[in-house]
Amino acid sequence: DTAVSQTPKYLVTQMGNDKSIKCEQNLGHDTMYWYKQDSKKFLKIMFSYNNKELIINETVPNRFSPKSPDKAHLNLHINSLELGDSAVYFCASSRQGTGHEQYFGPGTRLTVT
Amino acid sequence: QQQVKQSPQSLIVQKGGISIINCAYENTAFDYFPWYQQFPGKGPALLIAIRPDVSEKKEGRFTISFNKSAKQFSLHIMDSQPGDSATYFCAATVNQAGTALIFGKGTTLSVSS
């Protein structure tokens, strides 16, 4: 059983399009995150949700909008895609009180052409 | 401003040797310091973590050494194996609900056989 799953794994799209990435965790965790990993492998937090409440919203363009329909899901919608959005996006989850122990999904490689 | 600095950027070690990766942090509010391991095409996975009230933690071949006064910590991999070849990230966090991992820039380790 996959603990944290993301779909799709690969996403190739053109500039200006709108796309979504879905994330689901079956670990029963209360907290979920989105991280961006750039071409140099640097990992940076984008958003975190705890019990469906937005906790962290880093300086990310407002073209990025997370949505948490329930504690097990955290989706990421991106409007008007730009070349600079090309990266690998990771969803992660953790149990409340153990934020240092995050479980990451396999990542979604987004390529904007 | 980079809150967690990691070195070296890359490391080549012979099989059976010791791999050492160093990190330094700025924010004294951090209260957990995990290390994550990432294989190509996969998400990061927690390897080992330490709290600042402990100077050393060992799990199998992996040891974290922590120097609170110097605000530095390091990962030692004893008897390095080709299967250890991966990218290693140090991180720091404040263990509160929804708090993000602040990652170093990563170290790519290659263990030659």
Side-chain angles (χ1 to χ4, degrees):
Chain A
D1 278 348
T2 304
V4 181
S5 60
Q6 293 179 230
T7 54
K9 186 157 176 64
Y10 300 96
L11 189 51
V12 180
T13 188
Q14 291 186 327
M15 283 174 53
N17 284 349
D18 302 339
K19 290 294 178 185
S20 292
I21 306 172
K22 295 186 176 182
C23 177
E24 177 181 2
Q25 55 94 3
N26 63 5
L27 298 167
H29 289 168
D30 297 301
T31 309
M32 296 185 73
Y33 313 80
W34 278 110
Y35 288 87
K36 179 180 180 180
Q37 187 169 47
D38 64 21
S39 58
K40 295 184 179 179
K41 295 188 183 177
F42 183 52
L43 277 158
K44 189 173 180 185
I45 185 70
M46 299 175 70
F47 304 101
S48 75
Y49 271 75
N50 185 59
N51 286 320
K52 294 174 52 182
E53 178 187 349
L54 180 65
I55 302 297
I56 292 176
N57 184 355
E58 283 294 304
T59 49
V60 174
N62 57 16
R63 298 182 293 103
F64 289 79
S65 54
K67 283 190 173 50
S68 182
D70 54 56
K71 288 200 305 184
H73 296 84
L74 181 61
N75 303 323
L76 183 65
H77 188 76
I78 316 169
N79 288 329
S80 303
L81 278 154
E82 299 178 357
L83 292 176
D85 298 332
S86 296
V88 181
Y89 293 84
F90 287 101
C91 176
S93 71
S94 69
R95 206 175 301 121
Q96 194 151 341
T98 58
H100 68 284
E101 186 175 349
Q102 296 185 16
Y103 292 77
F104 283 77
T108 295
R109 182 174 291 278
L110 172 65
T111 303
V112 183
T113 62
Chain B
Q1 183 185 0
Q2 192 183 344
Q3 293 195 56
V4 178
K5 294 183 179 179
Q6 183 172 347
S7 63
Q9 187 175 348
S10 61
L11 184 58
I12 299 174
V13 172
Q14 293 238 331
K15 180 181 174 181
I18 302 173
S19 304
I20 301 174
I21 305 170
N22 300 301
C23 285
Y25 64 97
E26 297 287 332
N27 188 348
T28 55
F30 291 138
D31 60 6
Y32 246 107
F33 300 86
W35 286 86
Y36 280 76
Q37 180 188 54
Q38 185 180 27
F39 292 104
K42 305 291 184 184
L46 178 65
L47 192 61
I48 186 173
I50 196 168
R51 292 183 60 109
D53 53 352
V54 176
S55 61
E56 186 175 281
K57 183 174 181 180
K58 184 176 181 180
E59 288 184 3
R61 297 183 294 109
F62 300 90
T63 300
I64 301 177
S65 297
F66 192 87
N67 185 331
K68 188 174 180 178
S69 60
K71 294 189 285 185
Q72 294 176 346
F73 58 110
S74 60
L75 176 70
H76 295 232
I77 306 174
M78 312 299 288
D79 187 26
S80 298
Q81 299 296 313
D84 296 331
S85 298
T87 301
Y88 292 82
F89 295 92
C90 62
T93 190
V94 178
N95 229 16
Q96 294 174 3
T99 307
L101 292 166
I102 307 300
F103 285 98
K105 289 194 171 184
T107 297
T108 301
L109 171 65
S110 296
V111 181
S112 60
S113 53

